Amino acid sequence: MTDVEMLCAEACRIAHSLYARGKTSGSSANLSFRIGDQVYITAGGSCFETLCPEDYSCLNLQGDLLTGPRPSKEWPLHLSVYAARPQTGAVIHVHSTYSVLWSCVPGLAQEDCVPPNTPYLRMKVGKVNLVNYAKPGSRELFDAFAEQAFRADAWLLRRHGPVVPGETLTQAYYGLEELEESCRIAWELRNAGITLE
Ligand SMILES: [Zn+2]
């Protein structure tokens, strides 16, 4: 197996697991990994439930399609992360429920927008910043995201969902899970009227 084949297979396993546990639905999620100056990203309209090795587009770091099907329309988010954080090997973006719910809370700070109710978000992901709402797929969203890409370790797109990078696919996957759980805890505590001292 080549490196590309191995990483495609690993990315498919992660996608299937995220879908099976309700962290994404339909064709809304996308993920990518980088090998050198090539980025492999899930194709537009592909579904994490059935993701297979034919569902990856290969782009260069400028966003030109080298091989494969049309990429997810959210590909500029991924390329902004690779440009801002050279150590990044993979990026995952979903529309998972609790991250989206938390991103809708009024008055969130832009910096560190998820409260550190447990130490794990900070330990496993780092600083999470909020990206102002703009229409999905719009230049406005991509520009707002590119500006934030340098300023945090992961991001919540307001009323949209999380974007989490990692040095490896597994690290991005675990980071995404940690962010989703942290948003769930923050959401449940808020609904219960509990403020930690
Ligand atoms: Zn999205």
Side-chain angles (χ1 to χ4, degrees):
M1 253 188 167
T2 64
D3 283 356
V4 176
E5 287 169 341
M6 277 194 303
L7 289 168
C8 279
E10 187 183 350
C12 286
R13 280 196 299 276
I14 289 169
H16 298 163
S17 174
L18 286 169
Y19 191 97
R21 291 176 298 113
K23 310 289 182 181
T24 182
S25 59
S27 61
S28 59
N30 41 79
L31 62 75
S32 67
F33 56 85
R34 183 175 73 178
I35 299 178
D37 56 3
Q38 297 190 339
V39 172
Y40 291 80
I41 182 167
T42 47
S46 59
C47 172
F48 271 23
E49 182 182 27
T50 55
L51 197 69
C52 63
E54 290 72 41
D55 287 332
Y56 294 90
S57 317
C58 179
L59 308 178
N60 63 19
L61 293 173
Q62 289 69 48
D64 302 312
L65 179 63
L66 302 178
T67 57
R70 176 178 56 85
S72 161
K73 72 176 181 189
E74 293 183 305
W75 64 264
L77 299 178
H78 294 250
L79 289 201
S80 286
V81 178
Y82 293 116
R85 301 170 57 89
Q87 74 277 28
T88 301
V91 178
I92 308 181
H93 167 59
V94 296
H95 299 168
S96 48
T97 306
Y98 288 96
S99 296
V100 174
L101 282 171
W102 188 255
S103 80
C104 295
V105 169
L108 288 184
Q110 187 134 45
E111 292 233 337
D112 261 332
C113 62
V114 183
N117 290 307
T118 75
Y120 303 109
L121 184 64
R122 188 54 99 161
M123 281 163 52
K124 294 194 176 164
V125 179
K127 184 167 79 163
V128 181
N129 280 12
L130 190 67
V131 177
N132 290 337
Y133 180 79
K135 195 173 158 223
S138 67
R139 174 47 52 194
E140 197 186 347
L141 176 63
F142 298 145
D143 287 348
F145 184 81
E147 202 187 311
Q148 280 297 327
F150 292 92
R151 298 185 179 164
D153 303 300
W155 306 268
L156 267 191
L157 311 181
R158 193 183 262 291
R159 296 163 50 203
H160 182 160
V163 179
V164 180
E167 289 183 19
T168 62
L169 275 162
T170 302
Q171 203 181 84
Y173 173 39
Y174 290 170
L176 184 84
E177 299 267 10
E178 191 58 47
L179 177 53
E180 176 69 3
E181 284 307 303
S182 297
C183 288
R184 180 174 185 168
I185 289 165
W187 178 256
E188 300 285 2
L189 283 171
R190 184 177 192 268
N191 287 350
I194 296 169
T195 310
L196 293 193
E197 292 170 355

